[in-house]
Amino acid sequence: MSDIRCIGICTGGGDAPGLNAVIRAAVKSAILKYKWKVIGIPDGFDGLIWPERSRELTLKDVSGILPRGGTILGTTNRGNPFHYKTTENGVEVVRDISDEVIANKRKLGIQAMISIGGDGSQKIAHELFEKGMKIVGVPKTIDNDLSATEITFGFDTALHTATDAIDKIHTTAESHHRVMVIEVMGRDAGWIALEAGIAGGAHVILIPEIPFTLQRICEYVSEREGYGKRFTIVVVAEGIKLPAELRQLSRGGAVGNLVGDGIALTAHREVRVSVLGHIQRGGSPSPFDRILGTRFGVAAVELIARGEFGKMVCLRNAAIGCVRIADAIGRLKTVDPQGEMVRTARAIGICFGD
Ligand code: F6P
């Protein structure tokens, strides 16, 4: 057992529905089960640069936050104490302020930290652990691309949002006989596109893991017309690798627009594009994400109680477990192009543009 009396908690990286469920569960179990004091650190590790901005989190502070999207602590996806960008005498410089951050944590009386975040935040947590900080991690990303955990909270809610959008676009696509392109998030992995595409009955799904050509998409649109389907739904992950013909058209901006322009120019069809963007990161977390967030929050507190620092909670075979943060970082979980999910989609006629 550890001799902990005070812990700190912060959220880093892009937000995800379910963060507040983790914070609430960690605060409640730390106070109710262990009688620890909990300090909320604002805006990721950046909050430790200004310790006066941190505040104690009581049971009252976490009351009512379970159904709320976002994070009551605030977050940033830029702050890294090992590469802290600042301006000195009008010049931008990058400094290592990790010693300052560790000293400020000590000033606040924090003996152990819970870092909730994606791959980038866990890398920082690992470096701080190597410098002696007692820290545990909770994985987070709507993209669901962390290899150490079966699933991350936020993904299920994002999937609901994207599927709902595809459902809505479906009816107008059919009415107007149009090709409708919907761009969803997924910087490195196509999980949201693949699963929302299957759930929403998309006809074409483009993901970073499967190279595609414009020609194949246009042929597929014609094939559908051949059997009386005068509309096509194309779901595009933001991280797709553009084929040469689309790279030529590119002036930056959303890849969904580019795919839409490419189809309109090549297939001479009426195309409309919707870029869902950050709508996928917001909203009230689904029951699944609230439950997973709650389980992760409690499990993180238990790791601290057992003195198992440098570890991150995870879900494996539907059970809560943990891994060394060192083993969890830098390994992304991408869609297997030969995997069961892609084979299922192909079996029902979904085209991946290849
Ligand atoms: O959380 C991951 C993610 O949703 C990516 O899919 C997307 O590229 C990124 O966040 C966008 O983040 P931001 O606009 O906050 O920098």
Side-chain angles (χ1 to χ4, degrees):
M1 291 293 278
S2 57
D3 57 350
I4 300 292
R5 288 172 313 283
C6 176
I7 65 169
I9 184 163
C10 68
T11 49
D15 64 349
L19 281 169
N20 285 327
V22 182
I23 296 167
R24 172 179 173 271
V27 169
K28 281 190 153 201
S29 66
I31 295 174
L32 297 174
K33 187 168 176 191
Y34 293 106
K35 304 203 172 8
W36 295 341
K37 180 176 171 182
V38 186
I39 308 284
I41 293 150
D43 304 333
F45 292 107
D46 269 13
L48 283 174
I49 304 170
W50 303 279
E52 64 282 3
R53 294 190 192 165
S54 297
R55 64 188 170 101
E56 183 174 351
L57 293 177
T58 63
L59 292 177
K60 202 163 158 238
D61 292 307
V62 295
S63 167
I65 68 171
L66 182 61
R68 276 172 57 184
T71 158
I72 60 161
L73 293 175
T75 186
T76 171
N77 45 16
R78 284 184 302 276
N80 180 344
F82 293 92
H83 301 278
Y84 186 71
K85 280 194 190 125
T86 181
T87 309
E88 287 171 10
N89 304 321
V91 183
E92 190 179 84
V93 287
V94 179
R95 286 202 299 127
D96 177 353
I97 56 161
S98 54
D99 288 333
E100 207 176 305
V101 157
I102 291 171
N104 286 340
K105 179 207 71 109
R106 219 172 281 132
K107 262 188 225 158
L108 287 165
I110 296 171
Q111 294 160 296
M113 282 286 304
I114 298 178
S115 159
I116 314 169
D119 196 57
S121 306
Q122 300 309 338
K123 275 182 189 142
I124 298 169
H126 174 63
E127 284 186 73
L128 289 170
F129 172 68
E130 294 222 299
K131 286 195 81 162
M133 193 184 275
K134 291 179 173 172
I135 193 162
V136 300
V138 174
K140 166 252 44 160
T141 162
I142 67 159
D143 292 351
N144 198 28
D145 58 2
L146 299 182
S147 60
T149 184
E150 231 158 67
I151 192 152
T152 43
F153 61 86
F155 175 65
D156 185 64
T157 307
L159 207 50
H160 274 80
T161 303
T163 304
D164 182 51
I166 299 169
D167 284 349
K168 286 176 174 146
I169 285 168
H170 221 114
T171 52
T172 174
E174 196 161 8
S175 306
H176 284 268
H177 320 298
R178 283 172 172 156
V179 175
M180 300 296 273
V181 176
I182 302 143
E183 182 190 306
V184 298
M185 279 188 169
R187 193 176 30 210
D188 303 300
W191 294 109
I192 297 178
L194 177 62
E195 296 199 21
I198 293 173
H203 310 111
V204 180
I205 299 176
L206 304 180
I207 57 175
E209 296 85 347
I210 302 182
F212 67 94
T213 66
L214 202 51
Q215 194 197 343
R216 177 63 199 125
I217 301 168
C218 296
E219 278 167 16
Y220 185 84
V221 169
S222 300
E223 281 163 27
R224 278 179 57 75
E225 287 168 353
Y227 51 84
K229 297 289 186 187
R230 295 167 61 203
F231 74 104
T232 300
I233 307 279
V234 183
V235 175
V236 180
E238 65 175 334
I240 51 166
K241 313 279 178 296
L242 292 175
E245 68 264 31
L246 281 182
R247 277 202 299 273
Q248 282 165 13
L249 286 178
S250 178
R251 291 188 305 274
V255 291
N257 287 323
L258 214 50
V259 170
D261 287 351
I263 297 172
L265 287 171
T266 315
H268 307 289
R269 297 296 191 285
E270 204 176 352
V271 181
R272 295 287 186 275
V273 179
S274 301
V275 178
L276 297 192
H278 291 76
I279 200 168
Q280 296 158 97
R281 289 241 297 258
S284 182
S286 67
F288 180 89
D289 285 337
R290 293 180 199 191
I291 295 167
L292 184 62
T294 301
R295 294 169 82 192
F296 276 176
V298 168
V301 165
E302 291 302 326
L303 278 184
I304 294 179
R306 293 198 301 270
E308 293 190 42
F309 301 110
K311 291 193 179 171
M312 183 185 89
V313 300
C314 65
L315 192 76
R316 286 219 173 126
N317 301 320
I320 300 290
C322 64
V323 284
R324 280 173 1 112
I325 300 178
D327 295 333
I329 54 182
R331 286 189 302 125
L332 288 184
K333 176 179 66 189
T334 52
V335 173
D336 176 1
Q338 267 77 50
E340 181 272 332
M341 191 90 84
V342 172
R343 283 187 283 116
T344 297
R346 288 194 198 275
I348 58 163
I350 292 175
C351 168
F352 286 87
D354 57 343

